[in-house]
Amino acid sequence: MTKRVFSGIQPSGHIHIGNYIGAIRNWLGNLESRDNIFCVVDQHAITVDYDPDALRQGTRDAVALYIACGLDPEKCRLFVQSHIPEHTELAWLLTCVTPMGWLERMTQFKDKAGAKRERIGTGLFTYPTLMAADILLYQTHEVPVGDDQKQHVELTRDIAERFNRKFGEVFVIPEPVIPVVGARIMGFDDPTAKMSKSAPGHHHSVGLLDDPAKARKTIMRAVTDSQQGIVFDPARAGLFNLLSIYQVLTGQGREQIEAHFAGKGYGDLKKEVAEVVIAEIEPIQQRYRELIADSTYIDAVLARSVEKLRPVADATMDAVRRAMGHR
Ligand code: AMP
Ligand code: TRP
């Protein structure tokens, strides 16, 4: 049986090379061998303050960008979360089998809520049950994500197991798939913090749609240390981050890379990292500009995906409703 893959990404903000290396790139690797479903999670995007017009635009932009990255709509089903309303129906049902204590342990909630805990929407707290619904609705086997989402996928397993024990075997138990290199790309301005869409710094990240000149500047300014020698040492976080990006994008081994940079300085390394990053994003930008100009194409892709996904979602929901006593 062909394994089913599901993953999602938020449309909010710009999609950066952390998302690309930690997630999107690994989706591309399995296009031929798996049954792939990729989702722009526009309902997760409303758990924090947002602008509806920007969300509408950002969602379409994200779909175009995914396709531009190589997610061929002939080889995967690319869709928008809110186009299949069963995500929220299932999320509610799962919320009722998820103990508070499990959600309270989620580190992303603790990080995002911070001091605003008493004022933020409840959706930020129950966010992981919506993510569990995304995954379980399609009877997913594998969930390729960056390191920061591993805890949410493990929670999804726990929820599915608890549901199956209580109501009978309805859900496939999914596995997180985390890349060995590049699962956690750090900010260029602060290599101790994960690269994120919401970080404020101007030179924090490189977006897939950033102007190459700006991308080069950000990488040339990357914070490193005052030591010598270009080697893979996790204790030298800034250097390690640059080398990891280089390793993933060139596909070379660590020894080969260390030999290549032997006797060279940080300036040389940054220059070469900038080159490989720009070589990766320029063709994506080119394809993106072509795609975004043709809105009927994007609409057609999204409609076709919903048509193909509908029977899968219907079958799961039928089983869930029966198991829970609603039918
Ligand atoms: P998000 O930006 O939160 O929608 O994340 C989309 C995907 O990118 C998820 O699979 C994340 O785990 C992954 N991701 C986000 N930030 C990073 C990062 N700094 N390094 C590696 N992967 C990341
Ligand atoms: N929560 C994920 C993130 O912020 C996005 C996401 C939503 C997701 N639903 C998903 C990822 C289902 C994998 C599977 O990165």
Side-chain angles (χ1 to χ4, degrees):
M1 188 199 45
T2 312
K3 283 196 173 166
R4 182 165 289 148
V5 169
F6 184 101
S7 199
I9 197 165
Q10 299 216 28
S12 43
H14 77 162
I15 294 173
H16 52 67
I17 59 166
N19 300 130
Y20 181 70
I21 292 174
I24 300 171
R25 239 179 144 268
N26 305 303
W27 307 349
L28 296 173
N30 284 328
L31 280 188
E32 305 294 339
S33 61
R34 303 278 199 277
D35 175 14
N36 293 282
I37 307 175
F38 301 115
C39 182
V40 178
V41 293
D42 60 341
Q43 289 169 323
H44 278 104
I46 65 171
T47 53
V48 291
D49 194 28
Y50 79 104
D51 169 53
D53 287 329
L55 176 62
R56 198 173 294 117
Q57 189 59 44
T59 302
R60 295 188 66 80
D61 293 353
V63 173
L65 190 53
Y66 276 3
I67 301 173
C69 285
L71 294 176
D72 179 350
E74 301 299 325
K75 296 185 182 154
C76 62
R77 282 159 285 176
L78 203 52
F79 80 113
V80 174
Q81 189 181 33
S82 65
H83 293 184
I84 302 205
E86 283 81 354
H87 286 251
T88 46
E89 181 185 350
L90 182 57
W92 170 251
L93 302 176
L94 297 178
T95 301
C96 296
V97 298
T98 306
M100 285 276 283
W102 290 7
L103 292 178
E104 277 166 353
R105 280 202 290 276
M106 294 298 112
T107 55
Q108 181 171 300
F109 173 72
K110 289 187 232 173
D111 293 347
K112 281 201 181 174
K116 294 180 292 192
R117 208 186 148 99
E118 297 301 313
R119 283 178 287 122
I120 47 158
T122 319
L124 193 65
F125 184 65
T126 56
Y127 177 114
T129 57
L130 178 59
M131 178 160 162
D134 298 341
I135 296 168
L136 300 178
L137 184 58
Y138 301 101
Q139 306 290 1
T140 302
H141 301 99
E142 294 178 355
V143 186
V145 283
D147 179 62
D148 61 333
Q149 296 301 318
K150 189 167 180 231
Q151 193 184 34
H152 288 159
V153 183
E154 281 164 354
L155 176 81
T156 302
R157 288 172 63 88
D158 292 342
I159 294 172
E161 278 165 2
R162 194 167 207 254
F163 185 103
N164 285 354
R165 263 198 312 277
K166 196 168 161 71
F167 299 108
E169 292 291 319
V170 169
F171 294 123
V172 167
I173 310 298
E175 304 253 9
V177 180
I178 315 291
V180 181
V181 184
R184 194 175 178 83
I185 300 297
M186 311 307 273
F188 289 116
D189 57 349
D190 176 5
T192 64
K194 183 191 77 171
M195 185 176 286
S196 102
K197 284 172 178 158
S198 51
H202 195 58
H203 295 289
H204 169 76
S205 67
V206 168
L208 294 186
L209 296 176
D210 277 0
D211 172 44
K214 178 182 179 261
R216 177 172 286 111
K217 202 162 169 189
T218 296
I219 294 169
M220 292 309 292
R221 282 178 177 220
V223 171
T224 45
D225 52 49
S226 52
Q227 298 184 49
Q228 301 263 311
I230 294 183
V231 289
F232 281 88
D233 176 0
R236 292 163 69 185
L239 172 63
F240 191 79
N241 193 42
L242 288 167
L243 282 171
S244 300
I245 294 169
Y246 188 87
Q247 182 182 358
V248 170
L249 296 184
T250 61
Q252 294 175 14
R254 289 190 173 183
E255 294 79 34
Q256 193 183 356
I257 295 169
E258 287 179 350
H260 174 72
F261 287 109
K264 294 188 184 159
Y266 287 159
D268 302 307
L269 169 66
K270 289 177 181 176
K271 215 184 281 171
E272 290 205 38
V273 171
E275 291 309 323
V276 298
V277 167
I278 291 167
E280 191 83 17
I281 66 177
E282 268 186 331
I284 293 174
Q285 298 182 356
Q286 175 74 31
R287 285 194 295 273
Y288 171 79
R289 282 191 290 269
E290 289 161 18
L291 288 161
I292 204 75
D294 183 359
S295 72
T296 55
Y297 173 70
I298 304 280
D299 289 339
V301 165
L302 294 177
R304 193 150 37 99
S305 296
V306 170
E307 216 172 278
K308 289 198 179 144
L309 291 171
R310 171 106 329 265
V312 187
D314 283 346
T316 303
M317 288 315 296
D318 186 54
V320 169
R321 291 179 193 128
R322 283 174 195 280
M324 294 187 83
H326 292 129
R327 290 289 186 281

